[in-house]
Amino acid sequence: MSSSITYRGRYSEPVPTSNLVNDEEDFPEFEAFEDEEATPRAPYSASSLEVLQVEMSQKINKPNHFTSSYDLQNLVIRRGQEFMIRVSFNRIPEPSDDFQIEFLIGANPTLIKGSLVKVVFGPRAGGEGRWQGQVLEAQGGGALMIGITPAADAIVGKYRMYVAVSHGWGMQRTRRDATTDLYMLFNAWCPEDTVFLSDEAERQEYVLADYGTIYQGSVGSVGHRDWVYGQFERGVLDACIFLLDASRMPIYNRGDCIKLVRKGSAMVNSQDDSGVCVGNWSDDFSMGRSPTSWTGSVRILLQYANTGTPVSFAQCWVFAGVFNTFLRALGIPSRVVTNFNSAHDNTGNLKTDLIFKQDGSPDERNTRDSIWNYHCWNEVFMTRLDLPPGLGGWQVVDATPQETSDGHYRCGPAPVAAIKEGLLCHPYDVAFCFAEVNSDVVFHKRDKYGSLTPYRVEKTYVGRNICTKSVGSSRPYDITHTYKYPEGSVKDEQTMTRAEEYGCVRDHSDVPEIPLVVTITADQVYLGENVVLQVVFQNQGDGPRVIQAQLAGAIVYYTGVRAHRLRDRSFSVTVPANQSVTEVVTVAAEEYIPFLGSQLALYFMVTGQSDGQSVTAMKLVNLKTPKLTLMVSGAPQVNQEMFVTVSFTNSFNFPLRNVQLSMEGPGLMSSRSRHYSSIEPGSVITWKDSFFPRLVGPRALVAVMDCSNLRQIWGVIHVIITA
Amino acid sequence: MSSSITYRGRYSEPVPTSNLVNDEEDFPEFEAFEDEEATPRAPYSASSLEVLQVEMSQKINKPNHFTSSYDLQNLVIRRGQEFMIRVSFNRIPEPSDDFQIEFLIGANPTLIKGSLVKVVFGPRAGGEGRWQGQVLEAQGGGALMIGITPAADAIVGKYRMYVAVSHGWGMQRTRRDATTDLYMLFNAWCPEDTVFLSDEAERQEYVLADYGTIYQGSVGSVGHRDWVYGQFERGVLDACIFLLDASRMPIYNRGDCIKLVRKGSAMVNSQDDSGVCVGNWSDDFSMGRSPTSWTGSVRILLQYANTGTPVSFAQCWVFAGVFNTFLRALGIPSRVVTNFNSAHDNTGNLKTDLIFKQDGSPDERNTRDSIWNYHCWNEVFMTRLDLPPGLGGWQVVDATPQETSDGHYRCGPAPVAAIKEGLLCHPYDVAFCFAEVNSDVVFHKRDKYGSLTPYRVEKTYVGRNICTKSVGSSRPYDITHTYKYPEGSVKDEQTMTRAEEYGCVRDHSDVPEIPLVVTITADQVYLGENVVLQVVFQNQGDGPRVIQAQLAGAIVYYTGVRAHRLRDRSFSVTVPANQSVTEVVTVAAEEYIPFLGSQLALYFMVTGQSDGQSVTAMKLVNLKTPKLTLMVSGAPQVNQEMFVTVSFTNSFNFPLRNVQLSMEGPGLMSSRSRHYSSIEPGSVITWKDSFFPRLVGPRALVAVMDCSNLRQIWGVIHVIITA
């Protein structure tokens, strides 16, 4: 269907959806007034005011707008804040001279929709405009320093600019000049902007930090990795605008942060809309790069913009990392958040149902819900003018394609405050996010007829350690309290009641009180070590108990789905009244290593049966891995050659094959990769490379080593670059 | 990307999204209990209970469930209400006999998600099930009449059924039998169902009526046409389920009316998702059938289900008509609603901006918003458990692809009560619907520099005569009061204030009070007659006024977009103080007929200028057309041959070329079409055809004649069929 059919008869003009335009369709250089069309005259006389040159005053504007870091020839500014341009005329302008500066975005720009803006000077000044203009200084020789303040809700993207002088019978306009194009961003420094953030340290972190830490692993064994957001790197801002253009999002809506982030959450994944990243939760990444092998977002966004096709492959932290780059590049305060034991229920209720066979082993076939070991999403900071007071601030947005969020692969913005209060009745996707952090885990036993009986409800397993990188440091900042009141508190009960009033189905099964408790604990384990589990049975009853126990272990994907089943263990324990007995179970390294694949998580579930009663405990063990070693040398100065050395020793008893080692440092060096066909046990690799720092201040170099049997060995080094 | 990669590592099983399954994957006919697997035995002995036959008791169930009209071999029932099946055993069952009736929907059905349901009889009865079962009667010879009451929130769609008898060491199950498959619908008769509707006459209309009236035209000249919903016709219910399957909507969510209608609003249009209908608002329908040529939804849905590809072409009433069929077929109370002067603003604010040139003529290039002469959408009736109290009842859902509704081509459910109260803070798309009925029309004058000055705000033009067919009659029922408080009332002001608090941008331009008013009126005009306009200038000032007036006329699409511009008229009027002067302007038929194309709407706009002040009035004139004449003969009885004669006289002075004449009557005859290459002026066509009524009661036959220069000449005849 041609686009002409799509709009003909519906709109007078097609709705513009791209920053890329045929700029020959802009206004003509000389535009006669309508009432003068019949009598054309010479465009100007010797005394007419004429524009000789327009300068964008980058040296003044960039630091004022905190946009110095963008590796772009063109000016980047933030809306709602004055920027300066220097216009040189052929003579000194007089108060009677009538001229205007015109800003255009997208095709067929129009005043009424804000895609065409005119800032008027001279006799007509002070009229309709929502952008303000003033002459700051007459600089002699006919040059004026002019200040322009765009509206705080201006459309975000790439504008074309013209200066037009009125000659009474028409407008004489400057020629099209791509060097005066300017990029308009959201402005966290502007109180009138919906993304205003009052704290300067937070703005530095959430808008300007171009690398950060993403948390992974499991509760009790929280790991982390560094991620290069790289929003200032060459081509990245253009790639983010390309993404919006590829989504065909109307230009008119691109000043609205809610619509823009919602569209972004859809476009960062490739489902529905050929967006940026292709999700892949299998072990087979042969058609692309493994999700664990990326050092950051830059290569992904540039590849997408260069090819126009989705990039393979991503898992949740990649979606969140790329989305974070997109958000910060456009000036929206954002951060990557990790939720541990994240429930993923495809009916969106508050129950995560786990089903067990009669012998106590997990019934994988009938268990449909999953609990992700962790899940990463983003938060953006904004006011929510569309909602009642109290729901502004941090909002959950999630670009990972989870299938049931309102039928489309996107999610949010959902106010974190609405999640905390159980206010599921407001857009967008609050109920879905609420379930991710609040689901009850319901344990069912399946009898021989296939009927299910719930025997335990675990209310505190899901939604733990919700955390993000601290402002100004790489330590985790626990923000669980922003999502939930303390478990069991009055406020928590109120939230749950409210959520149920809004249709959230919760489990109220009558489960028996059993005077028997089982727990599993394990120390932190490095890959290659034996896993030692302490299974503790506690008998709170007044009689002794004989317990038949079944320990099921598995290597699991981080989505909680089983990749490989380990050997089951059955044992019997007798626990005297009011006592505990600890059974130590050792899983030898040799048992898991051959089947580990790329997974680093082992999952254990013990079910004990005694007198027809069942108890169950779960434990996730995340294997720790060694790090890459990075060293830098050379004078840490802008544009001075420096060197980085990355090294790794294979301390395992197995070889690493087809190893990819990648490295990048935003503002220091762009992404580079090396390939090693094999790293034998005990052998060492070392890679030294040089770079020329582009940006001053604290900087980081991130390296990641990845191969099919050992994923995501990473390292980072920090360096402070001076001018 | 293969589906195996899509789910591997994320889910233990792929999420089922289709009613079509490989039923060989259902349970085996003999399923040994797990603990018996090691010791197989003979499946049954001579004394074992054995199922001989299962009958679906259609004669009892169909009238009880109001599903007699569905032209289907299989049983159709409504959830939350008991239905009966007759199970014949090899002997008289005893209380100790243990058997269960199993209902399965979609692939990999599972108890926990409700896609597998077991209703248990015998010693294990009364367990977990949310569906209830009881033995109603032992009918001798081992036959039991069994009553099953599905849960009131059961999944909707096509279930497979088995009866399984427990033999102590396993379950003996009936063989797969497609004739016992049953269709489960929403139930407007069940107080526990979210779509419960208490009034029987309303249920008859909004669930069971299979044809109806859709209103079109313009304010003051409301036209109508009949539309065959045909939800009971052969293949239609299966086509509606096919549509859900094609959308890949998870089976698990298909009991949730909110999710289902939202998905339906996306799937009825082809945008995004290869849904049912391709929109086309141009004049060129050469690649398909013109939107005006359909008699109803049946052919469209069957063609979609048979080919799996979108059907060309539709405009709003076609989308609404097809969506209404989908909704009623699935048992959801629904109706087609028409909003006259429906605002369509692609930035979603409360302003529809019309721009005029200096001479008073409309500036089409710079006017981006449009006001549709009318727009049709649907309302569905349901409780909204996800929202605060008071927002249940009728909900707007709109399947017409309008571009900015949350970035996807779908809309709603938006509570009508939320629109009335300005509660834009709840899902879904309330703000968009609010603007459609409440926008202010802002008139701007564009000066020679391109700057805009608002000179008039019209607050009552948009959202008029909102109406739907009355219950039990074809008269329009005005429901404007359910969308809006009276203009200017205190409640109306409160609604507007609330809407603004929720971020809806409204115009507060200071427009001058002018003591001059202009209005246009016109009598109803038949196609081929001259259009006589009365342009009345009223001078409310104390001095005389000389007014320079400009009358612009155009043939417009029903979307308000101009198809052809008529000759402009300028005239001057002098109006004494405190008096009125009427200028009569006649537009001869010859002026519009050659350019009419398929459009039947003329749009006039007069702008008067006096002392630098402007006044404007708009008038839409809908040309009336003759009707087809239908006559029936023969005994009006089920399965008795009857005859229908449709005739038309070309009373115009131009020939009609390539004429398509179509006719259908739900429950009477399926759609038939004839083609006439030419109908010359003055000539008559007559088509007689026979049919055999299938359904009793009041029935209708609808005929539509359509050609490229005269659209949608229609007629209807009603007939009461007896048994």
Side-chain angles (χ1 to χ4, degrees), chain A residues 79 143 155 189 208 224 243 265 309 446 530 560 595 638 642:
Chain A
R79 65 188 194 177
I155 293 169
W189 285 260
L208 299 182
H224 64 286
L243 185 161
S265 87
T309 52
R446 188 166 171 274
N530 296 343
F595 307 103
V638 166
M642 291 186 71

Side-chain angles (χ1 to χ4, degrees), chain B residues 333-646:
Chain B
S334 66
R335 58 191 186 186
V336 175
V337 168
T338 302
N339 176 37
F340 290 93
N341 295 341
S342 192
H344 185 195
D345 176 330
N346 40 32
T347 42
N349 63 23
L350 258 200
K351 291 164 57 184
T352 296
D353 294 293
L354 304 183
I355 300 168
F356 295 84
K357 296 181 189 167
Q358 288 172 271
D359 66 1
S361 64
D363 181 347
E364 305 265 345
R365 186 182 189 280
N366 286 291
T367 297
R368 298 298 160 85
D369 295 334
S370 60
I371 302 172
W372 292 28
N373 301 352
Y374 65 90
H375 178 45
C376 300
W377 56 65
N378 302 75
E379 285 182 359
V380 295
F381 193 90
M382 64 168 91
T383 54
R384 285 296 296 266
L385 294 175
D386 58 327
L387 299 183
L391 299 178
W394 290 107
Q395 313 279 318
V396 173
V397 286
D398 188 349
T400 298
Q402 300 187 299
E403 94 274 28
T404 53
S405 170
D406 193 17
H408 277 271
Y409 291 110
R410 60 181 175 163
C411 182
V416 174
I419 296 169
K420 186 170 183 176
E421 301 296 337
L423 288 165
L424 313 187
C425 59
H426 296 297
Y428 297 87
D429 305 315
V430 178
F432 187 82
C433 299
F434 186 81
E436 286 182 304
V437 299
N438 282 311
S439 272
D440 298 332
V441 183
V442 184
F443 296 76
H444 301 264
K445 181 169 276 182
R446 188 166 172 274
D447 71 13
K448 65 181 181 180
Y449 302 98
S451 297
L452 304 179
T453 312
Y455 67 90
R456 183 164 162 244
V457 178
E458 169 67 82
K459 292 184 186 296
T460 61
Y461 187 79
V462 161
R464 299 276 291 276
N465 280 38
I466 306 172
C467 64
T468 185
K469 176 183 175 302
S470 297
V471 172
S473 98
S474 63
R475 283 192 303 277
Y477 171 44
D478 192 309
I479 54 171
T480 311
H481 65 282
T482 66
Y483 282 82
K484 309 202 261 193
Y485 288 105
E487 192 77 32
S489 66
V490 174
K491 289 269 196 181
D492 180 51
E493 270 312 305
Q494 286 170 347
T495 290
M496 290 298 160
T497 304
R498 204 174 287 125
E500 288 189 272
E501 283 168 8
Y502 291 127
C504 194
V505 176
R506 203 178 169 203
D507 190 85
H508 292 287
S509 303
D510 237 355
V511 294
E513 281 281 338
I514 303 179
L516 198 60
V517 177
V518 61
T519 53
I520 315 182
T521 57
D523 293 333
Q524 293 212 349
V525 185
Y526 272 87
L527 200 171
E529 295 179 342
N530 295 342
V531 180
V532 179
L533 300 166
Q534 286 89 32
V535 184
V536 182
F537 294 93
Q538 195 185 349
N539 180 1
Q540 299 166 334
D542 292 331
R545 286 275 196 162
V546 178
I547 300 159
Q548 293 301 325
Q550 176 95 10
L551 178 78
I555 296 161
V556 292
Y557 297 93
Y558 88 98
T559 55
V561 171
R562 188 174 67 189
H564 176 80
R565 190 165 172 175
L566 299 175
R567 182 165 58 81
D568 280 354
R569 284 154 168 93
S570 300
F571 49 91
S572 177
V573 184
T574 304
V575 190
N578 292 306
Q579 290 201 26
S580 292
V581 169
T582 300
E583 182 86 10
V584 176
V585 180
T586 301
V587 177
E590 294 70 41
E591 195 178 330
Y592 68 77
I593 282 181
F595 307 104
L596 203 56
S598 60
Q599 312 310 317
L600 291 172
L602 303 176
Y603 182 65
F604 296 96
M605 198 177 262
V606 68
T607 304
Q609 309 209 61
S610 171
D611 300 341
Q613 297 176 323
S614 293
V615 286
T616 297
M618 303 174 282
K619 178 67 189 176
L620 190 64
V621 176
N622 234 67
L623 300 171
K624 297 185 81 71
T625 51
K627 280 199 169 183
L628 299 176
T629 306
L630 281 85
M631 288 188 303
V632 290
S633 55
Q637 277 186 287
V638 166
N639 293 329
Q640 298 295 309
E641 186 167 31
M642 291 187 70
F643 300 91
V644 58
T645 306
V646 55

Side-chain angles (χ1 to χ4, degrees), chain A residues 67-98:
Chain A
T67 59
S68 301
S69 300
Y70 285 91
D71 191 2
L72 272 164
Q73 298 299 316
N74 289 78
L75 181 60
V76 183
I77 54 155
R78 298 182 196 272
R79 65 188 194 177
Q81 178 179 339
E82 188 172 65
F83 66 96
M84 296 169 202
I85 56 175
R86 188 172 184 276
V87 182
S88 304
F89 293 97
N90 61 327
R91 60 166 172 77
I92 293 168
E94 291 160 25
S96 64
D97 281 318
D98 177 336

Side-chain angles (χ1 to χ4, degrees), chain A residues 619-631:
Chain A
K619 178 67 189 177
L620 190 65
V621 175
N622 234 68
L623 300 170
K624 298 185 78 74
T625 52
K627 281 200 168 184
L628 298 175
T629 307
L630 281 84
M631 288 189 302

Side-chain angles (χ1 to χ4, degrees), chain A residues 355-363 443-448 453-456 512 514-519 535-539 544-552 568-575 605-617, chain B residues 34-35:
Chain A
I355 300 168
F356 295 83
K357 296 182 189 167
Q358 289 172 270
D359 66 359
S361 64
D363 181 348
F443 297 76
H444 302 263
K445 181 169 278 184
R446 188 166 171 274
D447 71 13
K448 65 179 179 179
T453 312
Y455 67 90
R456 184 166 162 241
I514 303 180
L516 197 61
V517 177
V518 61
T519 52
V535 183
V536 183
F537 294 92
Q538 196 186 347
N539 180 1
R545 287 275 197 162
V546 178
I547 300 159
Q548 292 301 326
Q550 175 94 11
L551 178 79
D568 281 354
R569 283 152 168 95
S570 301
F571 48 91
S572 177
V573 185
T574 305
V575 190
M605 198 176 265
V606 69
T607 304
Q609 310 207 65
S610 171
D611 300 341
Q613 298 176 325
S614 292
V615 286
T616 297
Chain B
E34 279 169 17
D35 52 359

Side-chain angles (χ1 to χ4, degrees), chain B residues 211-212 224-228 292 294-295 625-631 644-648 661-665 700-706 711-718:
Chain B
Y211 59 90
H224 64 287
R225 62 166 294 170
D226 271 32
W227 188 267
V228 174
T292 40
W294 306 103
T295 44
T625 51
K627 280 199 169 183
L628 299 176
T629 306
L630 281 85
M631 288 188 303
V644 58
T645 306
V646 55
S647 59
F648 174 76
L661 180 55
S662 300
M663 181 161 53
E664 80 177 297
L701 271 159
V702 177
V704 171
M705 199 185 84
D706 199 73
R711 297 288 183 202
Q712 192 168 277
I713 305 294
W714 72 282
V716 64
I717 190 161
H718 296 269

